[in-house]
Amino acid sequence: MQIHTKAVHAGDRKKAPAHIPSTTPIHTASSFFYESMEQLDRIFGQEEQGYCYARYDNPSSAALEELLTSLENGAGALTCASGMAALHMALLTALADRRKSIVAADALYGATVGLLMKVMEPAGVDVRFVNICDLDAVRAAVAESKPGCILMETISNPLLRVGEVDKLAEISREAGAALVVDNTFATPLLIRPLELGAHMSVHSVTKYLAGHGDVLGGAVITDSEHLDTLRSLSRTIGPVLGPFESYLTMRGVKTFPLRMERQCANACRVAQWLGEQPKVSRVYYTADPAHPDAATIRRLFPSNLFGAMVSFELKDAGRDEIFRFMDGLQMIVRATSLGDVHSMMLYPRMSSHREISPKHRERMGIRDNLVRLSVGIEAAEDIIADLDQAL
Ligand SMILES: Cc1ncc(COP(=O)(O)O)c(C=O)c1O
């Protein structure tokens, strides 16, 4: 062979070695080499395990999907390029063979509201918002709109409401609808929605699962009923997670339970301290005995871990005072994300719920003096000291 040909082919096409690497490698190939056309035909026909094309499947994301399936006790998973892509895939899957109608929690991440109103509604899907913590209201909405899907967050963003996933799963089953649960805030350490009867559990893996602020990714973990549709739609739409991000997420997940335990413990201390500050008028935290969903939380979160998000309102504050307070933070990062090893604070009015009209925000209970804190793994004393000096 000439040097130009050798440069392209030599060294490639090695069969996988007999040894098993101790961590899953980053498989960058977009296509794969086969011993024969017969073998390729079997792999395309899904009669033999293998990979044909990276939009269909990739060894790095397949390993992560197996890991996430195991954490959530599902039947299978799809990893996506972002949490929003994962939510979109879950909704499309839920509605594939059902009525094009969604009953959604009225407490949701702002972009999820956007997905419902800017993407699903214009595509002909009827969307109705309801207080997911009021089962009678949910039953009434379901009876009226006969949805194909019920959508909720296990711990809502940013006011931390917790719905009764098991009872909502029953309602959705009776109505022939799929229950899709965004489990990003709670993580499978606190609650595993599929074990409680939900059909799909969705994550922004950008957050606690990857955990280091260096990955954008999402995942849908599903029951067996929806797995084929989910994967088939994904092969056509192509929202998949790349191999580098899959690798980083797998690396992150290895320490996720340890990080999460620490973050939950820190959040408890921070929430308690915030509750004692005269400049703080209200604290939202899931371990608070006065939380409106305290009974549900104690029933559904058996691990005695309550999450690591704390939201709070500053007394008599508006946009200017919140800006001054957040500009005063020295260690806590002012950032539009959550779940990383470092503590982060966000102003929902300006970022996560910016696109939502002030009226809609008011209905959601998101006031202009509310901030949201994602508590990190630092020493709790240092987090509290930073809040203290900024206050
Ligand atoms: C609860 C929740 N779900 C989904 C998303 C979307 O995730 P991503 O930013 O990875 O698309 C976010 C992002 O903040 C979120 O907070």
Side-chain angles (χ1 to χ4, degrees):
M1 283 185 186
Q2 305 276 329
I3 189 164
H4 293 80
T5 311
K6 286 204 270 187
V8 173
H9 290 281
D12 269 339
R13 298 189 204 170
K14 281 207 166 75
K15 261 200 130 152
H19 63 261
I20 300 173
S22 61
T23 56
T24 302
I26 304 169
H27 294 269
T28 56
S30 53
S31 58
F32 300 84
F33 183 77
Y34 309 94
E35 284 173 355
S36 67
M37 288 302 291
E38 286 295 342
Q39 188 193 24
L40 178 55
D41 190 36
R42 285 195 301 277
I43 291 172
F44 259 118
Q46 297 181 7
E47 295 150 33
E48 182 178 325
Q49 251 201 336
Y51 300 93
C52 342
Y53 186 53
R55 196 181 74 240
Y56 287 26
D57 216 350
N58 163 289
S60 300
S61 54
L64 175 59
E65 283 158 1
E66 190 176 323
L67 170 61
L68 298 178
T69 299
S70 164
L71 294 186
E72 290 259 1
N73 277 332
L78 171 75
T79 48
C80 295
S82 70
M84 291 317 301
L87 272 164
H88 193 191
M89 289 309 299
L91 295 183
L92 293 176
T93 301
L95 296 186
D97 302 318
R98 294 191 177 92
R99 245 183 73 94
K100 304 295 178 253
S101 163
I102 298 175
V103 165
D106 57 7
L108 289 172
Y109 170 49
T112 308
V113 177
L115 174 64
L116 292 168
M117 297 179 76
K118 289 195 236 163
V119 179
M120 303 309 281
E121 268 192 342
V125 177
D126 178 62
V127 178
R128 182 174 304 226
F129 293 100
V130 66
N131 176 0
I132 211 82
C133 299
D134 178 347
L135 293 180
D136 288 336
V138 175
R139 282 191 197 97
V142 166
E144 238 177 74
S145 70
K146 303 196 172 35
C149 171
I150 299 177
L151 172 67
M152 65 181 290
E153 292 171 358
T154 35
I155 300 180
S156 76
N157 181 357
L159 295 179
L160 316 181
R161 294 302 303 265
V162 178
E164 298 189 74
V165 179
D166 51 351
K167 295 186 182 163
L168 290 157
E170 241 176 72
I171 293 173
S172 68
R173 235 163 257 280
E174 279 164 16
L179 178 64
V180 174
V181 177
D182 182 334
N183 201 26
T184 301
F185 271 35
T187 82
L189 190 66
L190 272 61
I191 185 168
R192 291 175 288 280
L194 296 170
E195 289 178 357
L196 299 173
H199 299 83
M200 281 173 265
S201 177
V202 180
H203 283 274
S204 165
V205 305
T206 315
K207 312 297 188 320
Y208 291 104
L209 293 175
H212 294 75
D214 50 10
V215 178
L216 188 77
V220 185
I221 300 102
T222 178
D223 62 2
S224 54
E225 184 190 340
H226 296 87
L227 184 57
D228 286 347
T229 307
L230 176 68
R231 295 215 66 95
S232 159
L233 286 174
S234 167
R235 281 199 287 275
T236 306
I237 297 171
V240 295
L241 189 67
F244 285 107
E245 288 78 8
S246 300
Y247 165 79
L248 281 173
T249 305
M250 271 195 96
R251 186 181 161 99
V253 169
K254 290 179 197 305
T255 55
F256 133 72
L258 297 174
R259 286 186 275 108
M260 192 66 188
E261 278 164 8
R262 165 95 177 185
Q263 283 169 277
C264 290
N266 277 353
C268 264
R269 285 186 59 189
V270 169
Q272 195 171 12
W273 180 85
L274 282 169
E276 293 159 0
Q277 303 314 302
K279 287 184 183 167
V280 174
S281 50
R282 183 161 178 188
V283 179
Y284 299 82
Y285 185 54
T286 30
D288 182 354
H291 188 289
D293 310 314
T296 304
I297 293 167
R298 271 164 217 290
R299 192 169 70 76
L300 296 185
F301 294 13
S303 57
N304 232 23
L305 298 170
F306 299 99
M309 300 299 298
V310 182
S311 296
F312 57 98
E313 290 169 358
L314 291 192
K315 204 172 188 173
D316 303 325
R319 178 183 182 276
D320 292 349
E321 290 77 15
I322 296 289
F323 273 32
R324 218 146 35 100
F325 166 61
M326 289 183 64
D327 278 338
L329 296 169
Q330 290 173 353
M331 183 270 288
I332 297 168
V333 182
R334 292 176 289 276
T336 312
S337 193
L338 63 110
D340 289 346
V341 284
H342 48 262
S343 294
M344 281 183 279
M345 193 180 287
L346 165 148
Y347 186 26
R349 173 191 146 166
M350 200 198 71
S351 44
S352 62
H353 292 72
R354 185 188 188 104
E355 304 274 311
I356 294 175
S357 71
K359 233 181 173 169
H360 191 160
R361 257 199 324 259
E362 200 181 299
R363 267 207 316 277
M364 293 172 93
I366 300 169
R367 301 195 184 91
D368 286 356
N369 63 344
L370 178 84
V371 294
R372 192 193 78 188
L373 175 64
S374 167
V375 179
I377 64 168
E378 304 97 336
E381 293 80 359
D382 291 329
I383 302 170
I384 289 171
D386 197 22
L387 290 169
D388 195 21
Q389 64 78 28
L391 277 176

